[in-house]
Amino acid sequence: MTNREERSGLTDIKSLTLSELAEELTQRGEKAFRAKQIYQWMHVKCARSFDEMTNLSKELREDLKRRYHYTSLKAVRVQESAIDGTKKFLFGLSDGNVVESVWMKYKHGNSVCISSQVGCRMGCRFCASTLDGLERNLLASEMLDQIYAITVLTGERVSNVVVMGTGEPMDNYDNLLTFLRLLTDENGLHISQRNVTVSTCGIVPGIRKLAGEYMQITLALSLHATTDEKRKALMPIANRYSITELMDACAYYFEQTGRRITFEYSLVGGVNDTDEDAQELAALAAPLCCHINLIPVNPIKERDFVQSDKERIQAFKNRLEKRGINVTIRREMGRDIDGACGQLRRKHITDQAEP
Ligand code: SAH
């Protein structure tokens, strides 16, 4: 069940919407305004525990502790990049699992990249998050609390959120949706929907379902190859959904939401970075209202993929631009702190295993 914390069996209070919380509390004979107070403590003031909720009586706080699970992630490791100030947080969950989140400072505001699952079962060949498979889904509260904990730890407001950390968000759809609703709720942190991006490896039914929620969030599709054959070699999900189906789903997403699609394309030296690849990518992108984000692949030690060299990346970008495609090369943030998906969590687990 979505709003239950598995080990305690208690309702996960931070995953409840304001109206769900109000219903819970009024059923127990509490005044309706208490729900708003508690909701604000959780979602605006980012309280780390019920004990911080000082305008509630001690009695009520004790009662809440008995009845609800309160998600409060603990930072177990923090790494700061000496190059660009990017911070990578490793957070401990109540069951002992760890997830990682990244805080990036840009001119236009602070951005947090969150994880949506503990591990991942998508199996993308270049990605460190998937090497040990999927452990479990994150609750909505556990996705939110990555942002809340970072807000408290940095003392700075977060304005952009990208669901691009470990995990496949569409493989945890219901919790993702609750998370998105709470994150953008005007009674909560109220992050603008336009400042939220969800990245998927391409689960077509998930894309279509999200389109039907009519939210103003950005969809990012991890494309990484231009033919089904090449994509299958990098991403097992390509065996399930063809590029044609994916492009149809993206066009549908745009039709329903009016939001421009982002295509992520990680450039792997000698694998998907030729002029021909660029031509094919331009042909796929041209009919859609989209933007392409080129990511120099971040090599992980378990695989022998290498980055394309600087000239190749630039030539690839030029080809796309010549065809009128909107394209950027992603700045590599936090390269010195295991910036790539899943690298820090994996290092932490390996370090612990070695006496
Ligand atoms: N599961 C989602 C979101 C997580 S990954 C998805 O697949 O989109 C976020 C992005 O980083 C994806 O585009 C993913 O393919 C890419 N990525 C993962 N590991 C990478 C690496 N080592 N180098 C470059 N890009 C990587």
Side-chain angles (χ1 to χ4, degrees):
M1 207 153 72
T2 306
N3 286 338
R4 292 235 160 232
E5 203 275 339
E6 250 186 36
R7 286 190 318 156
S8 65
L10 298 174
T11 299
D12 174 25
I13 193 167
K14 222 182 254 191
S15 292
L16 299 179
T17 62
L18 180 55
S19 54
E20 286 168 343
L21 183 62
E23 203 180 309
E24 284 261 340
L25 292 176
T26 45
Q27 268 176 10
R28 296 192 196 287
E30 285 294 336
K31 298 253 166 30
F33 74 90
R34 290 280 174 223
K36 191 116 189 212
Q37 281 181 325
I38 297 168
Y39 193 86
Q40 273 186 347
W41 277 112
M42 293 192 290
H43 300 285
V44 182
K45 299 179 193 164
C46 304
R48 307 315 300 146
S49 70
F50 287 122
D51 290 325
E52 286 182 26
M53 304 183 183
T54 43
N55 56 358
L56 308 182
S57 69
K58 180 108 203 301
E59 205 185 352
L60 176 56
R61 280 183 266 151
E62 291 307 318
D63 187 51
L64 291 170
K65 278 188 218 172
R66 274 191 301 273
R67 293 184 191 282
Y68 296 102
H69 169 75
Y70 195 89
T71 294
S72 184
L73 307 190
K74 306 278 179 297
V76 291
R77 268 198 205 197
V78 183
Q79 295 189 347
E80 181 165 0
S81 164
I83 307 169
D84 53 37
T86 295
K87 286 186 186 165
K88 189 141 194 176
F89 295 87
L90 192 72
F91 287 117
L93 306 172
S94 60
D95 64 355
N97 276 304
V98 289
V99 289
E100 55 190 69
S101 327
V102 188
W103 182 81
M104 291 158 288
K105 222 174 157 66
Y106 292 103
K107 278 195 216 89
H108 61 265
N110 300 320
S111 183
V112 170
C113 172
I114 66 147
S115 295
S116 56
Q117 295 179 312
V118 182
C120 182
R121 56 178 181 155
M122 294 298 126
C124 298
R125 299 280 302 149
F126 43 80
C127 181
S129 295
T130 200
L131 292 167
D132 296 316
L134 176 68
E135 183 66 34
R136 70 167 172 90
N137 282 330
L138 289 185
L139 296 163
S141 62
E142 292 168 329
M143 291 184 243
L144 283 170
D145 211 52
Q146 295 172 56
I147 299 151
Y148 298 170
I150 288 178
T151 303
V152 172
L153 288 165
T154 60
E156 289 192 40
R157 186 178 156 79
V158 170
S159 52
N160 293 271
V161 172
V162 294
V163 188
M164 279 192 190
T166 294
E168 169 49 44
M170 300 298 188
D171 192 33
N172 185 15
Y173 189 89
D174 292 344
N175 288 332
L176 172 79
L177 208 72
T178 305
F179 159 76
L180 292 172
R181 296 223 185 281
L182 291 170
L183 180 70
T184 58
D185 177 15
E186 59 181 3
N187 296 300
L189 211 53
H190 199 190
I191 305 255
S192 160
Q193 290 185 358
R194 291 172 169 267
N195 292 352
V196 180
T197 298
V198 172
S199 177
T200 176
C201 64
I203 298 183
V204 168
I207 296 173
R208 290 187 170 271
K209 209 164 159 190
L210 191 62
E213 315 283 355
Y214 303 107
M215 296 182 93
Q216 284 295 297
I217 57 177
T218 301
L219 176 76
L221 173 70
S222 301
L223 191 58
H224 306 324
T226 53
T227 65
D228 287 328
E229 198 189 336
K230 279 187 264 185
R231 200 162 183 267
K232 282 176 195 171
L234 292 172
M235 307 173 74
I237 193 72
N239 293 300
R240 192 77 191 275
Y241 306 107
S242 69
I243 290 182
T244 309
E245 286 173 283
L246 273 177
M247 295 301 122
D248 285 352
C250 287
Y252 179 72
Y253 189 89
F254 176 71
E255 265 167 46
Q256 297 297 306
T257 64
R259 299 290 294 158
R260 186 176 76 161
I261 307 289
T262 296
F263 288 127
E264 290 159 283
Y265 194 95
S266 294
L267 286 161
V268 188
V271 173
N272 63 0
D273 65 346
T274 63
D275 285 347
E276 194 193 353
D277 291 313
Q279 291 297 108
E280 287 169 359
L281 182 56
L284 282 177
L288 289 160
C289 179
C290 71
H291 165 258
I292 296 180
N293 203 204
L294 297 175
I295 314 169
V297 79
N298 202 333
I300 57 171
K301 69 174 192 312
E302 292 80 0
R303 302 270 189 265
D304 50 10
F305 292 126
V306 291
Q307 271 192 7
S308 314
D309 58 45
K310 289 258 169 329
E311 294 75 43
R312 184 84 302 265
I313 295 174
Q314 199 53 51
F316 197 92
K317 178 172 183 256
N318 292 346
R319 286 244 158 195
L320 291 169
E321 280 177 338
K322 268 213 187 98
R323 298 282 303 271
I325 309 288
N326 190 307
V327 51
T328 45
I329 299 172
R330 180 177 303 166
R331 246 170 73 209
E332 282 183 87
M333 307 277 282
R335 180 74 195 274
D336 53 333
I337 52 165
D338 304 304
C341 272
Q343 285 188 24
L344 181 60
R345 170 171 174 261
R346 199 171 157 74
K347 190 158 116 188
H348 180 76
I349 294 168
T350 320
D351 286 358
Q352 282 194 329
E354 286 163 8

